[in-house]
Amino acid sequence: MYLDPLSEQPVPHSAPRPPESVWDYPRPPAVWEDDRVVRVECAGQVVAQTRKSVRVLETSHPPVFYIPAADVRTKLLIPALSGRTWCEWKGSARYWDVVVADDVRADAAWSYPRPEPGFTALKDYFAFYPSRMDRCTVAGEAVTAQEGDFYGGWITSEVRGPFKGGPGTLLW
């Protein structure tokens, strides 16, 4: 499993996290463990909650949090009709609809069932588009969705942009 250290010294849960510029994130992306409480809510239900997420950090993008399947209510996920996409780094992504009773959020989550070497830490993990969920939080802080809804980044107060994804940023 490929995991870069967050820093020389671990940051305690209670300590504020230092600001991170997405322009300091690497390319190819890095996968970092994160022990903060990450929570995903949809239609009045907790879809996922963990202290064992991993963040994918890529130049110009807010982090994407991936949650282990063991901490996801996978019975609320059904394979999406949209099929798959390909990431040059991570491989083939599979998409999932989140279904809570009659509420269907199409293509709201994705996973990498067979990630490429260097990203095997993502196997058996799910990521969620915060724009398609009712609420996503990191350590109790509500997340803002990355503009453009393609990359699915989670913007928190520690993350600094500008961020790729919005209108006019495709060729950055």
Side-chain angles (χ1 to χ4, degrees), residues 13-93:
H13 293 292
S14 59
R17 299 229 173 193
E20 299 177 352
S21 169
V22 298
W23 294 96
D24 292 334
Y25 292 165
R27 187 162 177 86
V31 179
W32 288 356
E33 292 178 323
D34 197 296
D35 63 1
R36 293 175 289 180
V37 175
V38 174
R39 184 176 170 115
V40 177
E41 300 172 17
C42 180
Q45 298 290 316
V46 175
V47 176
Q49 183 169 308
T50 193
R51 279 192 176 272
K52 299 174 187 165
S53 67
V54 294
R55 297 188 305 156
V56 172
L57 308 176
E58 182 174 359
T59 305
S60 78
H61 302 290
V64 174
F65 285 78
Y66 286 77
I67 300 170
D71 294 334
V72 175
R73 293 180 60 198
T74 55
K75 68 181 180 182
L76 300 177
L77 305 180
I78 61 168
L81 298 176
S82 63
R84 297 175 182 261
T85 59
W86 178 260
C87 170
E88 65 183 308
W89 309 110
K90 297 178 285 288
S92 180

Side-chain angles (χ1 to χ4, degrees), residues 2 16 28-30 36 41-42 45 57 67 80-81 89 91 93 102 116-117 121 124 129 133 141 147 150 168-169:
Y2 174 74
R36 293 175 289 180
E41 300 172 17
C42 180
Q45 298 290 316
L57 308 176
I67 300 170
L81 298 176
W89 309 110
D102 294 335
E116 292 294 308
D124 299 323
Y129 285 103
M133 297 291 94
E141 178 185 350
E147 192 175 2
F150 178 74
T169 66

Side-chain angles (χ1 to χ4, degrees), residues 146-158:
Q146 178 178 8
E147 192 175 2
D149 208 29
F150 178 74
Y151 298 104
W154 292 39
I155 302 171
T156 58
S157 59
E158 78 211 29

Side-chain angles (χ1 to χ4, degrees), residues 105-164:
R105 310 289 174 96
D107 301 323
W110 71 95
S111 63
Y112 290 94
R114 288 178 296 285
E116 292 294 308
F119 292 89
T120 56
L122 301 180
K123 184 175 176 15
D124 299 323
Y125 278 64
F126 291 90
F128 295 84
Y129 285 103
S131 63
R132 297 180 188 173
M133 297 291 94
D134 293 337
R135 181 174 162 90
C136 295
T137 61
V138 176
E141 178 185 350
V143 167
T144 299
Q146 178 178 8
E147 192 175 2
D149 208 29
F150 178 74
Y151 298 104
W154 292 39
I155 302 171
T156 58
S157 59
E158 78 211 29
V159 181
R160 306 287 187 264
F163 308 114
K164 188 173 181 177

